[in-house]
Amino acid sequence: MAADLDEKTDRYEQMLADALAAATIRPPVGTPCGEAAADCQEMAESYLRDGRHFRAADDPVNALAAFSYGYGWLDCGVRMGLFSVPDDTELFTM
Protein backbone atom coordinates (compact mmCIF):
# COMPACT_ATOMS: atom_id res chain seq x y z
CA MET A 1 0.00 0.00 0.00
CA ALA A 2 2.79 2.47 0.86
CA ALA A 3 4.40 1.87 -2.53
CA ASP A 4 1.12 2.86 -4.23
CA LEU A 5 0.93 6.04 -2.16
CA ASP A 6 4.56 6.87 -2.91
CA GLU A 7 4.07 6.31 -6.65
CA LYS A 8 0.93 8.41 -6.75
CA THR A 9 2.56 11.19 -4.73
CA ASP A 10 5.53 11.18 -7.11
CA ARG A 11 3.21 11.29 -10.12
CA TYR A 12 1.09 14.15 -8.78
CA GLU A 13 4.11 16.21 -7.79
CA GLN A 14 5.50 15.87 -11.31
CA MET A 15 2.10 16.58 -12.86
CA LEU A 16 1.74 19.81 -10.87
CA ALA A 17 5.29 20.92 -11.67
CA ASP A 18 4.73 20.20 -15.38
CA ALA A 19 1.37 21.98 -15.34
CA LEU A 20 2.92 25.08 -13.77
CA ALA A 21 5.63 25.07 -16.46
CA ALA A 22 3.06 24.67 -19.26
CA ALA A 23 0.47 27.25 -18.18
CA THR A 24 0.93 30.93 -18.96
CA ILE A 25 -1.37 33.69 -17.82
CA ARG A 26 -3.66 34.74 -20.65
CA PRO A 27 -5.39 38.00 -19.54
CA PRO A 28 -3.45 41.26 -19.33
CA VAL A 29 -1.70 42.08 -16.06
CA GLY A 30 -3.63 44.55 -13.93
CA THR A 31 -7.06 43.46 -15.13
CA PRO A 32 -9.46 41.59 -12.83
CA CYS A 33 -9.00 38.39 -14.83
CA GLY A 34 -5.23 38.87 -14.90
CA GLU A 35 -5.26 39.22 -11.13
CA ALA A 36 -7.44 36.12 -10.78
CA ALA A 37 -5.01 34.15 -12.95
CA ALA A 38 -2.05 35.37 -10.89
CA ASP A 39 -3.87 34.29 -7.72
CA CYS A 40 -4.52 30.81 -9.17
CA GLN A 41 -0.89 30.50 -10.20
CA GLU A 42 0.30 31.63 -6.77
CA MET A 43 -1.96 29.10 -5.05
CA ALA A 44 -0.68 26.28 -7.27
CA GLU A 45 2.94 27.27 -6.59
CA SER A 46 2.23 27.45 -2.85
CA TYR A 47 0.65 24.00 -2.84
CA LEU A 48 3.67 22.62 -4.72
CA ARG A 49 5.99 24.05 -2.05
CA ASP A 50 3.70 22.77 0.73
CA GLY A 51 3.58 19.31 -0.81
CA ARG A 52 7.36 19.19 -1.01
CA HIS A 53 7.55 20.28 2.62
CA PHE A 54 5.18 17.48 3.64
CA ARG A 55 7.22 14.95 1.65
CA ALA A 56 10.41 16.06 3.39
CA ALA A 57 8.59 15.59 6.71
CA ASP A 58 7.65 12.01 5.68
CA ASP A 59 3.96 12.89 5.38
CA PRO A 60 2.95 11.55 1.96
CA VAL A 61 -0.79 11.80 2.58
CA ASN A 62 -0.70 15.56 3.08
CA ALA A 63 1.88 15.89 0.29
CA LEU A 64 -0.48 14.16 -2.13
CA ALA A 65 -3.38 16.33 -0.97
CA ALA A 66 -1.33 19.50 -1.49
CA PHE A 67 -0.20 18.45 -4.98
CA SER A 68 -3.80 17.57 -5.87
CA TYR A 69 -5.19 20.90 -4.64
CA GLY A 70 -2.48 22.82 -6.49
CA TYR A 71 -3.25 21.01 -9.70
CA GLY A 72 -6.96 21.70 -9.20
CA TRP A 73 -6.31 25.45 -9.01
CA LEU A 74 -4.46 25.39 -12.32
CA ASP A 75 -6.88 23.07 -14.07
CA CYS A 76 -9.80 25.26 -13.05
CA GLY A 77 -7.94 28.35 -14.33
CA VAL A 78 -7.36 26.66 -17.68
CA ARG A 79 -11.03 25.74 -18.00
CA MET A 80 -12.01 29.33 -17.18
CA GLY A 81 -9.66 30.70 -19.86
CA LEU A 82 -7.23 32.29 -17.41
CA PHE A 83 -4.24 30.33 -18.77
CA SER A 84 -2.92 29.43 -22.17
CA VAL A 85 -1.57 25.90 -22.50
CA PRO A 86 -0.07 24.01 -25.44
CA ASP A 87 -2.64 22.36 -27.69
CA ASP A 88 -0.85 19.03 -27.54
CA THR A 89 -0.80 18.70 -23.75
CA GLU A 90 -2.78 16.11 -21.87
CA LEU A 91 -2.12 17.75 -18.51
CA PHE A 92 -5.48 19.52 -18.30
CA THR A 93 -9.14 18.49 -18.60
CA MET A 94 -9.99 21.24 -21.09
Side-chain angles (χ1 to χ4, degrees):
M1 180 68 137
D4 294 337
L5 178 59
D6 290 338
E7 183 277 326
K8 191 169 189 175
T9 304
D10 289 342
R11 190 165 26 101
Y12 275 64
E13 177 182 9
Q14 189 62 55
M15 187 172 70
L16 176 53
D18 290 347
L20 278 163
T24 57
I25 293 177
R26 180 180 275 174
V29 175
T31 65
C33 286
E35 291 175 13
D39 287 346
C40 287
Q41 185 178 50
E42 182 180 348
M43 291 299 294
E45 291 168 346
S46 294
Y47 276 117
L48 180 60
R49 282 191 304 274
D50 289 350
R52 289 175 172 165
H53 168 80
F54 288 127
R55 286 198 84 163
D58 198 28
D59 186 353
V61 171
N62 281 317
L64 178 58
F67 297 144
S68 298
Y69 278 118
Y71 177 80
W73 275 91
L74 276 185
D75 194 49
C76 179
V78 169
R79 295 193 80 176
M80 292 176 58
L82 298 176
F83 296 99
S84 296
V85 295
D87 289 334
D88 61 347
T89 186
E90 294 184 10
L91 285 169
F92 302 98
T93 61
M94 299 184 283

